[in-house]
Amino acid sequence: MRVFVITGISGSGKSVALNALEDAGYDCVDNLPVDFIQSIVDSLKQQGRERIAVAIDARRGQSITGLPAIIDALSKDHDVRVLFLNANTETLVQRFSETRRRHPLSQSDDHRTPQVALEEAIEKERSLLAPLAETAHNIDTSHIKSHTLRSWISELIKDDHPGLTLLFESFGFKHGVPRDADLVFDVRCLPNPHYDPKLKPLTGNDIEVANFLKEQADVSAMGDDIRGFIEKWLPNYQADRRSYLTIAIGCTGGQHRSVYLVNCLFDYFKKKHQGQKTLYLLKRHRELH
């Protein structure tokens, strides 16, 4: 069976992700007790079901610390993918303020102060879920809308591909480094089309910007170095039996240089690995969304 485990920080979009998986034909269960995962997977397998998605978060308290061991046990017989959704504290505070919902860890263990501050509850949750974030595919939802997250989830599960998903992501440093990045490359030292009045309103997807950057020797050299690094170490990441590897390319605003280089890298690896069933390629431009 394909088992998708969705977890992450409260307010980061787990319900949106679960709805996207349900629309894709998965049997979905929200807020499932950790100890019930194995039994529900076994039950659905007996019914002939092939895909299940479960959402688990901090509402389960300390029991969630046992989730990594359960995932390891499931992985022996099933194709298990773990998706961890995250967002920065400022964004989470704003979302809780807009929805007026209480954080699941807002209840204090101290009877003298029954409630804790929202920021404190968020940090407590980050600490509790940190071991899960280290082994999962991370998506930072701080700067994206719900419909964009749904689109990204749909891309991840497209064709239920096996092997490693290699994801190239452009971003702007002024908006923060993506939390979901495994490798980050800084290309702010390269010539910037932003200072050309004709190119400023365009993006790295436009042919005019692409032609400008293609003519810059430093841009070509940087692209070659990043490509060489990925080619050298990609087999090691595949041997590590990873499901996802996110490579983030950042410039100042995430509009020109990073977008262009992500497009170049994506096109190169897509052509080189065309037809291989053990490597699936995706690209996204965070700031353009």
Side-chain angles (χ1 to χ4, degrees):
M1 291 182 64
R2 165 63 60 83
V3 181
F4 231 105
V5 178
I6 302 173
T7 186
I9 307 301
S10 300
S12 59
K14 293 188 296 296
S15 295
V16 174
L18 196 64
N19 290 336
L21 288 165
E22 186 175 22
D23 291 343
Y26 280 74
D27 291 295
C28 296
V29 184
D30 190 15
N31 195 21
L32 181 69
V34 175
D35 295 337
F36 291 175
I37 296 178
Q38 182 70 62
S39 60
I40 196 170
V41 168
D42 292 341
S43 176
L44 288 172
K45 183 180 180 180
Q46 292 176 1
Q47 298 175 33
R49 309 298 293 179
E50 297 181 349
R51 299 186 293 180
I52 178 175
V54 296
I56 300 175
D57 57 31
R59 288 174 288 180
R60 290 299 157 194
Q62 289 296 328
S63 66
I64 201 171
T65 57
L67 185 56
I70 293 175
I71 291 174
D72 288 341
L74 280 173
S75 298
K76 296 178 181 178
D77 301 310
H78 306 283
D79 180 11
V80 181
R81 303 294 177 96
V82 184
L83 177 64
F84 191 97
L85 300 182
N86 208 339
N88 61 46
T89 301
E90 180 182 359
T91 300
L92 294 173
V93 170
Q94 180 180 351
R95 290 174 181 173
F96 274 101
S97 176
E98 292 172 350
T99 60
R100 298 184 180 181
R101 297 191 64 187
R102 180 178 296 180
H103 192 282
L105 298 185
S106 61
Q107 192 72 26
S108 172
D109 296 330
D110 189 345
H111 68 277
R112 293 170 298 181
T113 54
Q115 297 290 326
V116 300
L118 178 56
E119 290 87 346
E120 183 180 345
I122 292 172
E123 292 310 312
K124 181 179 179 181
E125 185 176 31
R126 289 196 196 282
S127 177
L128 181 64
L129 300 180
L132 293 174
E134 293 177 359
T135 58
H137 173 55
N138 286 253
I139 294 183
D140 182 2
T141 68
S142 302
H143 302 283
I144 63 174
K145 302 295 183 182
S146 295
H147 68 274
T148 300
L149 177 58
R150 289 179 63 91
S151 174
W152 289 3
I153 298 296
S154 297
E155 290 178 343
L156 284 177
I157 63 176
K158 186 178 180 182
D159 300 328
D160 283 341
H161 48 83
L164 175 70
T165 295
L166 182 60
L167 170 62
F168 295 99
E169 178 177 13
S170 68
F171 73 96
F173 273 96
K174 71 177 184 180
H175 299 298
V177 177
R179 291 175 175 268
D180 52 8
D182 296 302
L183 299 173
V184 178
F185 294 95
D186 182 355
V187 300
R188 287 176 292 182
C189 62
L190 300 178
N192 193 351
H194 174 82
Y195 298 108
D196 186 324
K198 294 181 180 179
L199 301 179
K200 181 178 179 180
L202 305 178
T203 74
N205 286 331
D206 293 303
I207 188 64
E208 295 87 350
V209 173
N211 287 337
F212 170 82
L213 292 172
K214 191 182 300 183
E215 295 173 355
Q216 309 300 318
D218 287 347
V219 175
S220 297
M222 177 74 81
D224 290 343
D225 287 344
I226 295 175
R227 185 184 66 203
F229 180 90
I230 297 171
E231 285 188 308
K232 178 179 179 179
W233 293 105
L234 182 58
N236 294 67
Y237 286 108
Q238 290 176 305
D240 195 39
R241 300 187 66 182
R242 283 173 172 251
S243 297
Y244 303 96
L245 179 65
T246 300
I247 298 171
I249 312 293
C251 59
T252 304
Q255 301 292 317
H256 300 102
R257 295 164 291 182
S258 61
V259 173
Y260 169 75
L261 284 171
V262 160
N263 289 341
C264 291
L265 290 167
F266 176 82
D267 291 342
Y268 173 83
F269 281 94
K270 184 177 181 180
K271 182 178 180 180
K272 180 175 180 179
H273 295 276
Q274 188 174 12
Q276 292 189 15
K277 296 183 178 181
T278 57
L279 186 66
Y280 183 74
L281 276 79
L282 290 174
K283 68 175 177 179
R284 69 169 70 129
H285 301 300
R286 190 184 73 177
E287 315 310 349
L288 300 191
H289 282 286

